[in-house]
Structures are given as structure tokens and as C-alpha cells.
Amino acid sequence: MKLNNKIIKKLWQWFKKKKKRNIGFTVFGIILIFFWFSLPKPLFVEPTSTVLRDQNGELLGAKIAADGQWRFPETTHVPEKFAKAIVQFEDKHFYHHLGFNPVSMIRALYLNIRKGKVVSGGSTISMQVIRLSRKNKSRTVFEKLIETILAMRLELTYSKSEILRLYASHAPFGSNVVGIDAAAWRYFGVSADNLSWAEISTLAVLPNSPALIYPGKNHNKLFEKRNRLLNSLQKKGIIDNTTCSLSKNEVLPEKPFSLPQFSPHLLERAVNEGKIGQDILTTIDIHLQDKVNEIIALHHRVLQANEIHNAAALVLDVNTGNVLAYTANTPSETGNEHSNDVDIILAPRSTGSILKPYLYAAMLNDGLLLPTTLIPDIPMQIGGFVPENYNLTYDGAVPAKQALSRSLNIPAVKMLQSYGVEQFYALLKKMGMSTLTKSSSHYGLSLILGGAEARLWDLAGIYASMGRTLNHFSAYQGKYDKTDFHPPLYIKSESVVEKKVFSQSSYLDAASVWLALEAMVEVSRPDEELQWQQFSSSARVAWKTGTSFGNRDAWSIGITPDYVVAVWVGNASGEGRPGLTGLGCAAPILFDIFKVLKPRNWFLIPESEMVEIPVCRYSGYRASAICESPVKIKVPKKVLKTQVCPYHQIVHLDMSGNWQVTSNCESTDNMQHISWFVLPPVMEWYFKNKNPFYKVLPPFRADCAPTAESRSMEMIYPANNSKIYIPVDLDGKPGNTVFKLAVRNPQAIVFWHLDDKFIGSTTQFHQRAIAPEAGIHHLTLVDQKGENLSIKFEIMNKRNE
């Protein structure tokens, strides 16, 4: 029993000794853990400015932080000059201590006691980083102790260069300027890397007392401090005597500079897209951006004379889709009077004719036409939709590529009618047109003439994607990359698409794109030839203009293998102006930008996707067996399924060649069987006046009745089953409607009958002004040979409209 008590007693004594030791270890462990986790992450949480840089890191613009400070995001590196200057001025032993310098602290204590006030803090750069992160709390002994402990902890986590980077990014430089990057731009108008020794020294002494000394005030104190630092740098051998002497002669900045604003709308866009407070490296080329800004400003001064106040230009790199220049509006010297803060590049605007090349390429892609195919260009009415050409004339029929290059409206509507509104609508959405928010039926055939709205951003992106498809088809040896069709990119980190997804097809094949661009090169505007001459250039540019209804929007987009340039001109308010056209206002800006870009090469022909075929010399369709002298052209392989020429037919003439005959009136032995190019009467009516080569069919001989297929009359207006609204004149009476007829025989006399009542006859010019009452009517036309034509129409009034 006694033995057990002794053992227990000894065990108790041993435990008490160990307990004391364990408590000591525990306390030490708690202190160590507290020390390790005492440093907050992140150190700094203040809002930062949104900074926009070009592809090489040059400053494009910046937006002040949410707290009203010019505080750029943390710098990625500290300029060598600033590192040497700040260490020499603030902490000469920075690279040798572990966060605090006992000697400096003792010296500071001695000076403070001697002066009877705080004249020196003895803080190292590491301690100052901690003090800045703690928002400059009051200078007390306890606070100094905390700063010292946290500075030691800082040194364990961060390297010396990282601590310098933190200091340079968050040190105050007077007024509302924080950090070396913001200070360099605000006080000297350059980046920190481009500062001189005098400028660096000026900034190095500012954080020591930013509330008292900042440029514009206390120049003498600032001047003396700067020069003392320069002397110190010279004594240390960091700068030579000459540099020191010259630096001392440099003047101090008088007042803060405004930060660059090369692309303010792109900066605002980045902020709106959630990139607040970031340092954004873009794809912009600052030198090109500056040139485009100058061009827009120059043209803006001219356009203002016509009360046209807004313009925008976008330049893309074709192969990547990267944005090289983003000028989203005109500069303003009088505030926002003309909505100059609106980003026009992102604003939906009426397209005018700018979508026509897409339709042309789509129809080639689907094998629905050839570049030379004749498209009707005649008056047309579909319900209440009555399209007209810009010059209010008709050609009867024009080759498809000429219809595109001349931007004729009626052929474009005819082409869309053939292709299908719904199919074209779906293609536009696939290619990247984001503004088609309503159904295809809402837009109807007007989709091709400005019935929809588009953004300059989307349109330029689609043209770039088309060019990229063509470039990559050649580069990838006849393969397509499905990633080619994508929107423009302005963030550099997003600009490289590494993964290629090869395919045997694309939204538009290379041959169709190439032919569309070729047609866009061959722009022909005979009615405005003088204006066209100023755009002549040795470089090939495929380009298209567009003008919306009411002259509200003027577009011009051009493409080369390297670049897409897209321009919009108008008023952000939507106000139209006389003379506001794509050719007159937007195209001059487009070609001024291309002069800066200096394009030289052209797209390679996608030979593997093309085939040479014979086409009818006159109709442009695939040549039939009876087409005379066909010509050979290169076309996409898909068009081999297109229709053969429908306009050549075998006609039977008598031996004189002056009259048509039939087997009912003439022996076949006495006939000539000739291939003749024959257009329908309405197309012929307009076509023959523009094309001297066209020969009208000879009339039938008096003893030969025409066949049912050989119509010689066709109604120009109105079409059969039309509904017509006749407006009321100023005197309150209904006005007249002019009925027009196309007649093949120039000698024909046509007798007009309205509701079986004879109302008159016409020769040569077959048109009559008629004012029928409201309701359904029948018009019957009969020529002197008995050929007749009948149509039904309805006159609408306000009660039954």
C-alpha cells in the first residue's frame, strides 16, 4: 500500500512538471499560429480604377475608382529607377533587414525625444506597406509594435520585389492619386517606365508626406527634397554627375494631366461588361486608334455643316477577328448635346442595303444563281410593299453581280423572294446578327432593304468571318474551320482560338464568298461617277454602302484579306438629313482609313471549289443547247444544278426575216428557225432601252395568228388581284391611278375597257390615268390583232381599307 502511494506521488510530481512545460508549448503554439495568420489576405481591398491598355500595354484610358481615387490595379513590375530611388530615400537597408530596422527605430526615437515631437517614424518600406494596408492608423507605440510584427510576417510570405510592388501600387502621391502608375500619368502624362530621374525622384519623395507636398503647391519644399534625393543617388553612384546636374534643372509639374482617352466608349463598354477595377489588355493598336480618331474628327467638322453630328468606325483584323480600332462616336467639345456618349458601334440601326452581299453569297452557296444570272428589275408590288430603286428607274433585268455592285433594290427583293425570307433570317442569326429579335414574318421582304436593325459590331464581325473563311480555306488546303464564324474580340486574352474544328462545309463556302467579294470590288455607280473617282486606289477593296429610309443612317463596310473597316454616319437621335448617304458620307471615311492601313494583297481564288462552265452570253444562265456563243466563267460547283437559260427560244420567221409565222400560215420549208433571246414583255420594255443589242421579236404576219405562248402584252402596274388605295386630293376628290402596260410591238394600238366599258386607246406609250370608284373592277386590254389581257383589282377607301 505504501509502495503504491509512493508511485502515485512520484507520478503526480512528474505530471505537474510536464504540465508546466505543456502549457508553455501551448502558449507558444498559439502565439505562433496567431503570428502566422495575422496577415490579412488580401492585404488591400480598396476599389481600383478600370484601366484600358492596347495590345502592347500602352494606356488607352482609365476610369476613376469607385471611391474617387486614381488608383490603378496593382502594378506587375516596379520600374528600376523608382525601386532604386525609393529604397535610397525611404529604406537604405531594405534588402538586408527582416521587416524592421532596430537602428532606424532607435535613431527615430532619439530624434523624436530631442525635438519633442514626432519627426521620424523609423519605419521600413515593409512597415509602411503594413501601415497602408491598415489605412494609416494613428501613430502610437502600440500601433508601431503591430506594424513591426506584421512587417516581419510580411517578409516571410513576400519577396523583397513583391513588397516593393505592393508599396509602389498603394503609396499615396498627393491629392487623389495612389500608386506609381497613376502618379506617373497624372503628374507627367507618361507611363512610369518612361519617367526621367528627376521625375522619378519627385514621385519617390511624395509618399513621405503626401498631404503636405504634392505638385502645384509647396514647390520649394518639393524641389529641395527632390534635389536632396538626386544628390544621394549621385553619391551612391546610381546616377552620374551630369545626370544629377541636368535632373536638378528639370521643372516640377504644375498641375495634374488628364489621362489619355483614346477609346472612351470601349472603356465604358468594358465597365458595363463587368470588368470594373481591372487592368484590361486589349487587342487595340494605339497608333491606328489615334489615326482613326483623327479621321473621324476631321470628317465630323465637315459633316456638322449639314447638321450630321455622329459617326463611328470599327477596324478588325480578318484572320483573328481582333479589334484594332474602336471609335464609337465623334468627339464633343460642348458636352453631350448630340449624344456623343452613345456607343454607336453597339447601337442597333436600320441596315439599308448593307445586307445584300450576304444574300448574294447565300444564293451562290445554295446553287440558286450564277453571278451572271439576269434578275428582273421591273416595277413590283407585293401587298402594300412597293420597293423602288434609289434612282427611281428600272433596267428590266440586270446580272446578279451587277445588281449587287449597283445596290439595286428591286433585284435584291426578287432574290430574297426566291431564296426565302425565313431561310435568310435563320442564316443571318447563325452568322452573328444579334438584333433580329422578332420573327422572320415581321420583317418580310423588307429585311433586305433596311427593314431590320443591325449593329456595326455584328456586321463587321460577319464580314470578317467571311474573309477568314476564305483565308483559312486556302491555308488549310481546302478545309473549313467551324470556329471561323465568331464575333469580334477586343480582350487580348480571349483573342487566340487554339482549337481548330475542321469540317467539309461552312455557313458560306469559299467560292461563294470569293465571288461576292469580287462583285463588291466592281462597284459601279454611273450616276455618281465623279464621287467614285476620288476612291480610286491601286489596292483592291471589296466594299458596300447602305442608306436607310429617310436618310437616317449611312453605312460603308470594306474588306481586304487583312482588314475589315466598318463605318456608320448619322445622328444618334435618328434625325435624317438630305445628302446623308453611305456613298457621300460614310465611304470617304472608309477609304481614308484604308489609306492608313495600306492593304496590298488580295484573296486567293478557291480553285478546288470552282468549276468552269458555259453560260448564255445574254441571260447569264447555264447555256442551253440553243444559246448562241456561250461564254465560260468560273462558278461554285454547287451551281451546276441551276436552271438552264429560260429566255432563248426557237422562233419561226418567214424567209424575209421580218415576220413571225406558224405552220398554220406558212410551209416549214419556207421558214427560218432561229434562236432568239426573248424577255417577258415588262422586262423587255425596260431592258431594250438600256441595252441596244436587244432585238425585239418581229411581229406576226397579218395572215398568221400568234400562239398562246407568244404574249406581246404584260401589265406593269397594277398586278393582277392588286388592292389599290387612291388618296384624296386637296379639293376632297379622289385622285387618279396611272395604269401602265408593256407592249412588245411598237406599232400596236391597245383598246382599254374598264368593267366591259370602252374608256380609250393608246399607241406607243401605253398608260392611262383612271379613277374608278371603290370596289372590285376588271380591266381588259385588246390590241388591233385581237390579243387580249385581263386583270382584276380592288380600289380601297378609308372605310374598307
Side-chain angles (χ1 to χ4, degrees):
M1 187 71 177
K2 290 182 179 179
L3 182 61
N4 288 338
N5 289 336
K6 286 182 179 180
I7 293 172
I8 293 171
K9 189 175 182 180
K10 286 183 178 181
L11 287 171
W12 177 249
Q13 289 174 348
W14 178 86
F15 177 75
K16 286 196 295 182
K17 290 179 181 179
K18 290 291 183 181
K19 187 177 180 182
K20 290 179 180 179
R21 188 180 300 172
N22 287 341
I23 292 172
F25 279 127
T26 302
V27 171
F28 178 75
I30 291 172
I31 292 173
L32 188 62
I33 292 171
F34 178 78
F35 174 74
W36 186 257
F37 290 101
S38 61
L39 198 66
K41 290 185 179 181
L43 273 175
F44 298 92
V45 294
E46 290 82 5
T48 54
S49 301
T50 306
V51 177
L52 202 69
R53 300 184 187 276
D54 90 328
Q55 57 189 244
N56 296 314
E58 296 291 328
L59 185 66
L60 291 168
K63 188 171 185 178
I64 199 165
D67 61 354
Q69 301 292 306
W70 284 109
R71 184 190 298 107
F72 283 18
E74 287 186 357
T75 185
T76 55
H77 77 286
V78 179
E80 184 180 359
K81 288 180 182 178
F82 183 76
K84 290 179 178 179
I86 200 66
V87 167
Q88 186 63 30
F89 184 75
E90 290 284 359
D91 189 358
K92 293 182 178 65
H93 303 286
F94 172 69
Y95 292 103
H96 306 290
H97 60 65
L98 296 176
F100 73 101
N101 186 343
V103 175
S104 296
M105 294 180 74
I106 293 171
R107 186 180 67 250
L109 179 62
Y110 169 76
L111 289 173
N112 293 340
I113 293 173
R114 184 178 175 186
K115 296 290 186 179
K117 60 180 180 179
V118 177
V119 294
S120 176
S123 294
T124 62
I125 289 176
S126 303
M127 292 172 68
Q128 290 185 54
V129 169
I130 295 299
R131 180 157 51 86
L132 291 170
S133 72
R134 291 170 60 80
K135 297 184 171 40
N136 291 313
K137 292 191 176 181
S138 58
R139 295 188 176 186
T140 63
V141 174
F142 180 71
E143 182 62 28
K144 183 67 70 175
L145 177 62
I146 293 175
E147 289 175 5
T148 302
I149 294 170
L150 292 178
M152 294 171 62
R153 176 64 189 84
L154 183 72
E155 294 272 350
L156 293 176
T157 300
Y158 296 90
S159 66
K160 290 293 185 180
S161 60
E162 288 174 327
I163 293 171
L164 268 181
R165 184 177 59 80
L166 288 171
Y167 179 81
S169 298
H170 297 280
F173 286 87
S175 186
N176 64 340
V177 180
V178 177
I180 180 66
D181 288 334
W185 282 106
R186 288 291 283 162
Y187 295 145
F188 299 105
V190 297
S191 68
D193 289 320
N194 293 322
L195 294 173
S196 67
W197 276 108
E199 293 164 343
I200 278 288
S201 298
T202 302
L203 295 182
V205 302
L206 282 178
N208 183 259
S209 186
L212 176 65
I213 303 174
Y214 61 90
K217 292 186 178 181
N218 303 298
H219 267 56
N220 291 337
K221 290 183 180 180
L222 180 57
F223 189 78
E224 290 170 5
K225 275 199 168 189
R226 183 200 71 176
N227 288 353
R228 280 201 301 270
L229 176 55
L230 287 168
N231 288 333
S232 179
L233 291 170
Q234 187 266 325
K235 287 179 182 178
K236 280 287 183 178
I238 297 173
I239 61 175
D240 57 33
N241 291 336
T242 303
T243 301
C244 182
S245 177
L246 292 174
S247 297
K248 288 179 181 179
N249 290 328
E250 289 189 29
V251 298
L252 296 174
E254 291 295 328
K255 59 181 180 179
F257 285 79
S258 296
L259 267 67
Q261 291 294 326
F262 285 97
S263 186
H265 298 88
L266 185 59
L267 174 61
E268 193 62 33
R269 173 177 179 173
V271 169
N272 293 337
E273 291 179 354
K275 297 175 177 63
I276 301 173
Q278 296 181 26
D279 196 327
I280 306 161
L281 190 64
T282 72
T283 59
I284 297 292
D285 179 336
I286 193 170
H287 303 294
L288 177 60
Q289 180 70 47
D290 191 31
K291 287 288 186 182
V292 173
N293 288 347
E294 288 180 7
I295 291 169
I296 289 290
L298 177 65
H299 284 271
H300 178 226
R301 288 194 285 271
V302 176
L303 293 167
Q304 283 184 114
N306 189 25
E307 295 296 322
I308 301 170
H309 300 289
N310 305 101
L314 181 66
V315 182
L316 305 182
D317 177 275
V318 167
N319 286 314
T320 61
N322 290 349
V323 178
L324 302 179
Y326 191 104
T327 304
N329 213 320
T330 49
S332 175
E333 299 176 358
T334 58
N336 192 37
E337 181 181 355
H338 299 293
S339 301
N340 303 91
D341 61 344
V342 173
D343 187 336
I344 296 294
I345 289 174
L346 296 180
R349 308 291 304 196
S350 175
T351 59
S353 300
I354 210 71
L355 302 182
K356 290 175 182 175
Y358 304 157
L359 176 62
Y360 178 78
M363 294 189 73
L364 288 170
N365 184 76
D366 288 5
L368 298 178
L369 55 67
L370 306 179
T372 52
T373 299
L374 281 183
I375 308 296
D377 181 25
I378 58 177
M380 67 180 297
Q381 178 180 3
I382 302 173
F385 180 52
V386 185
E388 293 181 321
N389 292 326
Y390 184 77
N391 56 10
L392 301 179
T393 63
Y394 309 96
D395 283 16
V398 290
K401 65 178 182 180
Q402 190 182 122
L404 174 61
S405 64
R406 292 175 57 194
S407 196
L408 297 175
N409 291 338
I410 291 175
V413 173
K414 290 282 189 182
M415 289 167 64
L416 182 56
Q417 192 176 30
S418 173
Y419 186 73
V421 174
E422 188 171 345
Q423 186 176 353
F424 186 53
Y425 169 90
L427 177 65
L428 290 174
K429 295 193 79 169
K430 286 178 184 176
M431 292 196 299
M433 193 163 160
S434 63
T435 50
L436 297 175
T437 56
K438 298 176 182 177
S439 67
S440 60
S441 59
H442 171 82
Y443 301 106
L445 293 172
S446 69
L447 177 61
I448 199 63
L449 300 182
E453 294 182 326
R455 305 189 305 171
L456 200 64
W457 179 261
D458 294 344
L459 296 176
I462 296 173
Y463 275 101
S465 295
M466 290 168 66
R468 194 158 47 247
T469 295
L470 197 49
N471 285 343
H472 288 176
F473 182 81
S474 300
Y476 302 150
Q477 300 179 339
K479 294 181 181 179
Y480 291 101
D481 180 3
K482 283 190 174 182
T483 65
D484 278 342
F485 271 82
H486 62 76
L489 305 165
Y490 74 93
I491 304 295
K492 192 169 184 178
S493 61
E494 301 172 356
S495 65
V496 179
V497 180
E498 296 288 350
K499 189 176 181 181
K500 304 296 180 186
V501 183
F502 291 113
S503 171
Q504 296 302 313
S505 62
S506 178
Y507 295 135
L508 298 172
D509 64 40
S512 302
V513 171
W514 188 82
L515 288 168
L517 297 183
E518 282 290 301
M520 290 166 66
V521 170
E522 299 172 10
V523 172
S524 174
R525 297 178 187 274
D527 53 328
E528 296 170 346
E529 187 174 355
L530 292 177
Q531 293 190 53
W532 162 244
Q533 294 300 324
Q534 63 181 303
F535 303 141
S536 60
S537 170
S538 58
R540 300 191 83 196
V541 176
W543 64 292
K544 181 73 184 75
T545 61
T547 305
S548 69
F549 178 77
N551 297 89
R552 294 180 174 90
D553 306 274
W555 303 85
S556 187
I557 300 181
I559 180 173
T560 69
D562 298 316
Y563 305 106
V564 165
V565 178
V567 176
W568 177 92
V569 176
N571 287 310
S573 64
E575 178 188 357
R577 296 296 304 167
L580 177 57
T581 65
L583 183 67
C585 297
I589 297 175
L590 177 93
F591 282 93
D592 278 354
I593 295 173
F594 270 118
K595 286 176 186 176
V596 174
L597 295 171
K598 298 179 180 177
R600 287 289 177 263
N601 57 338
W602 188 241
F603 295 99
L604 297 177
I605 302 175
E607 298 280 3
S608 63
E609 280 208 341
M610 302 184 78
V611 62
E612 191 173 67
I613 65 169
V615 299
C616 176
R617 180 182 299 275
Y618 300 117
S619 73
Y621 282 80
R622 283 196 303 123
S624 68
I626 62 173
C627 284
E628 296 180 336
S629 305
V631 296
K632 288 189 174 182
I633 63 170
K634 285 187 175 182
V635 295
K637 291 179 179 178
K638 292 179 181 178
V639 304
L640 293 176
K641 62 184 180 182
T642 56
Q643 181 183 3
V644 297
C645 176
Y647 297 130
H648 267 92
Q649 62 187 54
I650 298 297
V651 297
H652 310 291
L653 306 180
D654 66 4
M655 298 308 291
S656 71
N658 296 324
W659 305 98
Q660 287 190 70
V661 292
T662 69
S663 58
N664 294 327
C665 63
E666 185 64 76
S667 168
T668 55
D669 294 335
N670 295 324
M671 293 183 188
Q672 300 182 60
H673 309 289
I674 298 175
S675 174
W676 203 287
F677 176 53
V678 184
L679 292 174
V682 175
M683 290 172 62
E684 179 183 271
W685 175 260
Y686 293 99
F687 188 84
K688 67 184 180 182
N689 295 323
K690 297 289 183 74
N691 299 274
F693 74 85
Y694 186 83
K695 295 192 299 182
V696 177
L697 274 174
F700 278 88
R701 204 168 62 192
D703 59 335
C704 292
T707 62
E709 291 78 18
S710 54
R711 284 185 303 127
S712 64
M713 294 190 298
E714 187 175 355
M715 206 69 196
I716 298 176
Y717 180 84
N720 191 31
N721 294 317
S722 293
K723 293 184 178 181
I724 305 170
Y725 173 69
I726 300 180
V728 176
D729 290 338
L730 293 176
D731 59 3
K733 297 179 180 179
N736 293 329
T737 296
V738 177
F739 286 61
K740 296 182 181 179
L741 175 71
V743 180
R744 179 166 285 140
N745 182 4
Q747 308 301 322
I749 302 173
V750 178
F751 303 92
W752 297 61
H753 302 78
L754 181 63
D755 299 328
D756 295 328
K757 181 180 179 181
F758 176 70
I759 58 173
S761 62
T762 55
T763 58
Q764 291 188 326
F765 300 103
H766 299 279
Q767 61 184 42
R768 287 190 67 86
I770 305 175
E773 296 179 352
I776 296 175
H777 299 273
H778 292 83
L779 179 68
T780 303
L781 307 164
V782 184
D783 70 6
Q784 77 271 29
K785 293 186 177 182
E787 182 180 351
N788 65 80
L789 172 68
S790 295
I791 65 166
K792 183 175 74 171
F793 62 93
E794 183 177 1
I795 298 295
M796 311 291 290
N797 59 25
K798 290 185 178 180
R799 289 189 299 275
N800 62 2
E801 181 183 3

